[in-house]
């Protein structure tokens, strides 16, 4: 038996004002992600759902997303600092379809910031780790809203080369927190919790 991958990724749902948005990934089925409007879960017909509910789709052929790979985790839903609905997602694994670099492919582990309603790229934060000959990939991020204003301030994520990263979503700065022994891949979204003596504990 050989498993056939299709839309095998995870989904995340968040309501912005009166609109509920689902952002899903393809897992092993493809290098991409998509969004649906699920405000009305009971469309009149299947064709109406297909025509009206699809908000956008992104692949590594989409301009600005050349480093997008196979995403097995799910998007983290929040708002940008200016209030724009935003999906935050690691670029995933095996992003080597553009290995020549001619389409902007770098092979680096990256965090993508995407407008959850339109699919437009708000920004990307590169870790600088990885190359076209040896691509790295960022796993599922965990968001922290430090001031509880509904807008994520920090993201924490690991990559398959064994680095744990902190991303400042207010300044787009990235900090390497740790490298594992023997570069063991970090594939889980790290839980983040308040430390009793101040600051945060990041667990993976």
């Amino acid at each position: 038996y050989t498993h056939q991958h299709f839309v095998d990724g995870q989904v995340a749902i968040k309501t912005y004002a009166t609109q509920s948005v689902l952002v899903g990934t393809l897992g092993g089925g493809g290098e991409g992600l998509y969004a649906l409007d699920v405000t009305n879960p009971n469309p009149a017909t299947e064709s109406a759902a297909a025509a009206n509910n699809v908000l956008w789709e992104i692949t590594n052929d989409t301009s600005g997303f050349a480093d997008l790979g196979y995403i097995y985790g799910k998007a983290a839903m929040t708002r940008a600092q200016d209030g724009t609905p935003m999906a935050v997602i690691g670029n995933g694994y095996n992003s080597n379809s553009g290995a020549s670099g001619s389409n902007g492919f770098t092979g680096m582990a990256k965090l993508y910031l995407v407008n959850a309603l339109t699919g437009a790229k708000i920004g990307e934060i590169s870790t600088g780790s990885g190359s076209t000959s040896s691509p790295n990939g960022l796993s599922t991020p965990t968001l922290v809203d430090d001031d509880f204003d509904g807008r994520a301030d920090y993201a924490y994520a690991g990559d398959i080369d064994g680095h744990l990263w902190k991303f400042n979503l207010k300044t787009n700065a990235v900090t390497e927190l740790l490298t594992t022994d023997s570069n063991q891949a970090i594939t889980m979204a790290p839980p983040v919790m308040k430390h009793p003596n101040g600051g945060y504990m990041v667990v993976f």
Side-chain angles (χ1 to χ4, degrees):
Y1 170 74
T2 301
H3 178 69
Q4 295 291 315
H5 293 279
F6 292 101
V7 185
D8 290 2
Q10 302 184 49
V11 299
I13 301 175
K14 185 174 178 63
T15 299
Y16 298 102
T18 59
Q19 185 176 17
S20 296
V21 179
L22 177 152
V23 175
T25 63
L26 301 182
E31 297 166 301
L33 60 154
Y34 62 92
L36 305 176
D37 184 338
V38 293
T39 307
N40 176 13
N42 299 303
T45 64
E46 184 175 348
S47 60
N52 300 325
N53 291 21
V54 177
L55 293 175
W56 49 264
E57 182 178 4
I58 293 170
T59 71
N60 58 6
D61 289 326
T62 304
S63 178
F65 291 91
D67 284 294
L68 196 66
Y70 295 92
I71 302 171
Y72 289 88
K74 63 180 179 180
M77 309 290 285
T78 184
R79 288 184 180 271
Q81 294 299 307
D82 65 359
T84 301
M86 183 170 71
V88 181
I89 195 158
N91 67 312
Y93 313 136
N94 295 331
S95 56
N96 56 2
S97 65
S100 67
S102 59
N103 65 345
F105 174 75
T106 68
M108 296 180 183
K110 292 181 176 180
L111 189 73
Y112 284 119
L113 313 177
V114 181
N115 186 311
L117 303 183
T118 68
K121 186 169 78 170
I122 295 174
E124 67 178 57
I125 307 175
S126 176
T127 64
S129 176
S131 65
T132 56
S133 60
S134 181
N136 195 355
L138 197 70
S139 302
T140 302
T142 297
L143 303 184
V144 172
D145 179 5
D146 195 49
D147 51 10
F148 304 103
D149 63 353
R151 304 171 187 186
D153 300 303
Y154 304 100
Y156 296 85
D159 66 31
I160 58 173
D161 283 348
H163 308 288
L164 185 67
W165 303 95
K166 174 185 177 181
F167 300 88
N168 187 325
L169 301 181
K170 296 181 288 187
T171 65
N172 287 348
V174 59
T175 304
E176 182 179 356
L177 298 181
L178 184 77
T179 299
T180 59
D181 291 337
S182 303
N183 295 332
Q184 296 167 305
I186 302 172
T187 58
M188 66 177 291
V192 181
M193 61 204 79
K194 284 280 191 178
H195 192 285
N197 295 330
Y200 292 97
M201 293 186 292
V202 183
V203 183
F204 68 97

